[in-house]
Amino acid sequence: MRDQKTSRRLLVAVAVAVVVAVGLGALAVTAASTDSPDRSASRLRPTDQAHAPTQAVLDEIVAQGTPGVIAQVRDAHGVWNGRAGVGDRGSGRARSPHDRFRIASVTKTFTATVLLKLEAEGKLSLDDSVARWLPGVVRGKGYRPGKITLRHLLNHTSGIFDYNMDEGFRARYAGDEFDRNRHVRWSPRELVDIALAHPPNFQPEQGSRPGKPGRWDYSDTNYILAGMVIERATGSTYARAVERRIIKPLGLRGTNVPGHSPKLPAPHATHYSTLFEDGPQAKERDVTEFSPTVAFSAGQLISTTGDVNTFLSKLLAGELLPPAQQRQLLDAVPVDGDKGHGGPDDVYGLGIRHFQLKEGCWAWGHGGMIPGSATRTLASADGRHVMTINRNGDWGEQKLEDAAVEAEFCADDAR
């Protein structure tokens, strides 16, 4: 990804050129919104024209093989919904702005927000050790749980191995093995134990600090442990904590914590995956249904583009957290490498990433990928300009997704 910045600029330029070339008549067909699909060019809204470069990139994402993509943008001009491709290969049904989908690691932003709220409620401190809240859980050669704090978990400076990097675990979800294991229920402790069979990547005191580069490694295990702490601190389930502190107060009617349920609530697109197989012969598989326990508090939430936009915009506007916790949320450390749906020049706060989209252009948010679903959500620092994009396929080049968000946030007249 270090050499993709030039490619990204070119993609945005090509996107703009495509829109100009096809003219407003064709744009009336392709510039997707919640309006009926038979809009004429004379009814094309100024908002659609403003987001035409973004729509052109969505079209290109589908042209390169993704089944379908949706995006919602909110800015000073209102709400715009873009879409391209299909929600289901068999029926040809189009993707809908109302689709629910697995938001994968965007869940981490919800999890971090709940922990910050618990600190504000006086139930815990982010400087508490993991050993205090989960005695005996983090164990194994090289691990020092008394030195690992909740803050280390949330900003990925704990050094704890990522269970998703365990070859045996990954093999259970590759190719035909997926169908044999899609309904397996994992406990959070089982996922943590898979990680702890490996030595730590580094010790927490070697981790990055604000303004000081150090060791950093994106690890889903950190957020499994964070969810376990939430349950211990509240005496209830992770699902209830998220519902009580985020979903219900914000009225996120399209968002839910599935727990053990493998189902996706309607309406939803079919989620397709190649399950770690590469090349032109890779088989597309329907992975819509599977046990979300495989991701727990690191990636199990289901939501919509509109709900994610509401959450992120309210969070960055300072409407969810008191000032002290808001400062901690955005107290970001340098990342080490480009792991975690971003680039090597980004910085990472507590469950939220500051993406350097290109030189001089930054946005806060998070990305996520889980079998069959790839999501990116980004917002301006004040939360007034926000965008969430979802693909119902987990392959394809990230640079096109990058181009879509750059078209939205990095234009000279960025809204």
Side-chain angles (χ1 to χ4, degrees), residues 288-364:
T288 308
E289 185 176 306
F290 66 90
S291 173
T293 61
V294 72
F296 185 47
S297 47
Q300 71 164 272
L301 264 67
I302 293 167
S303 193
T304 65
T305 53
D307 274 9
V308 174
N309 278 348
T310 295
F311 166 65
L312 187 60
S313 63
K314 296 288 186 183
L315 180 63
L316 286 169
E319 297 183 30
L320 286 180
L321 297 171
Q325 281 69 39
Q326 188 77 4
R327 288 192 294 271
Q328 293 186 80
L329 172 78
L330 304 178
D331 193 11
V333 301
V335 305
D336 183 11
D338 55 10
K339 187 180 177 185
H341 221 85
D345 298 320
D346 301 343
V347 292
Y348 198 95
L350 303 184
I352 191 166
R353 191 167 183 139
H354 206 192
F355 292 93
Q356 185 179 33
L357 304 179
K358 65 179 184 179
E359 187 174 354
C361 180
W362 294 77
W364 287 98

Side-chain angles (χ1 to χ4, degrees), residues 28-29 31-40 43-48 79-83 95-98:
V29 177
S33 75
T34 52
D35 293 343
S36 59
D38 60 349
R39 270 183 309 142
S40 67
R43 295 171 59 200
L44 191 64
R45 299 176 302 178
T47 301
D48 296 320
V79 177
W80 175 82
N81 287 291
R83 63 185 175 186
R95 290 220 60 182
S96 164
H98 305 294

Side-chain angles (χ1 to χ4, degrees), residues 29-351:
V29 177
T30 61
S33 75
T34 52
D35 293 343
S36 59
D38 60 349
R39 270 183 309 142
S40 67
S42 63
R43 295 171 59 200
L44 191 64
R45 299 176 302 178
T47 301
D48 296 320
Q49 297 179 46
H51 298 284
T54 307
Q55 178 61 48
V57 182
L58 301 186
D59 294 336
E60 182 62 20
I61 287 172
V62 170
Q64 290 204 1
T66 293
V69 59
I70 52 175
Q72 187 191 87
V73 176
R74 296 183 192 176
D75 58 24
H77 303 289
V79 177
W80 175 82
N81 287 291
R83 63 185 175 186
V86 299
D88 183 78
R89 294 283 205 195
S91 66
R93 173 175 49 87
R95 290 220 60 182
S96 164
H98 305 294
D99 280 347
R100 296 181 180 182
F101 49 87
R102 302 187 190 278
I103 67 173
S105 284
V106 175
T107 298
K108 291 180 174 66
T109 315
F110 285 75
T111 298
T113 301
V114 170
L115 265 178
L116 284 160
K117 280 180 165 288
L118 290 174
E119 183 182 66
E121 294 167 19
K123 291 183 168 61
L124 53 77
S125 167
L126 293 190
D127 294 321
D128 290 343
S129 71
V130 173
R132 174 178 177 180
W133 285 101
L134 304 173
V137 172
V138 177
R139 65 198 191 286
K141 186 175 182 180
Y143 286 100
R144 296 185 289 172
K147 299 292 186 181
I148 300 171
T149 67
L150 304 187
R151 192 186 313 277
H152 288 137
L153 299 181
L154 297 186
N155 65 13
H156 296 297
T157 59
S158 73
I160 298 174
F161 187 85
D162 184 353
Y163 72 92
N164 273 308
M165 295 296 103
D166 179 86
E167 291 185 6
F169 179 80
R170 290 172 66 86
R172 296 182 68 141
Y173 293 93
D176 293 336
E177 289 299 308
F178 180 89
D179 284 331
R180 299 186 182 97
N181 292 288
R182 69 162 72 206
H183 293 295
V184 171
R185 288 189 180 185
W186 296 89
S187 71
R189 182 67 179 268
E190 287 174 323
L191 299 175
V192 171
D193 285 346
I194 290 171
L196 298 179
H198 300 264
N201 293 318
F202 53 85
Q203 295 299 325
E205 60 265 24
Q206 298 173 298
S208 290
R209 294 172 178 81
K212 180 182 177 182
R215 301 297 301 278
W216 182 91
D217 189 69
Y218 186 93
S219 173
D220 285 309
T221 313
N222 288 323
Y223 275 78
I224 301 298
L225 289 165
M228 295 171 71
V229 171
I230 287 171
E231 294 192 332
R232 184 67 61 87
T234 61
S236 188
T237 64
Y238 169 76
R240 189 166 299 173
V242 177
E243 290 163 1
R244 178 184 171 187
R245 289 168 176 82
I246 298 177
I247 294 175
K248 288 183 179 178
L250 292 182
L252 306 182
R253 297 182 179 179
T255 303
N256 72 291
V257 186
H260 293 135
S261 173
K263 304 287 187 180
L264 265 177
H268 66 78
T270 301
H271 285 26
Y272 296 97
S273 177
T274 57
L275 295 173
F276 309 114
E277 295 178 349
D278 298 318
Q281 303 304 316
K283 180 181 178 181
E284 286 184 23
R285 304 166 190 264
D286 180 345
V287 296
T288 308
E289 185 176 306
F290 66 90
S291 173
T293 61
V294 72
F296 185 47
S297 47
Q300 71 164 272
L301 264 67
I302 293 167
S303 193
T304 65
T305 53
D307 274 9
V308 174
N309 278 348
T310 295
F311 166 65
L312 187 60
S313 63
K314 296 288 186 183
L315 180 63
L316 286 169
E319 297 183 30
L320 286 180
L321 297 171
Q325 281 69 39
Q326 188 77 4
R327 288 192 294 271
Q328 293 186 80
L329 172 78
L330 304 178
D331 193 11
V333 301
V335 305
D336 183 11
D338 55 10
K339 187 180 177 185
H341 221 85
D345 298 320
D346 301 343
V347 292
Y348 198 95
L350 303 184

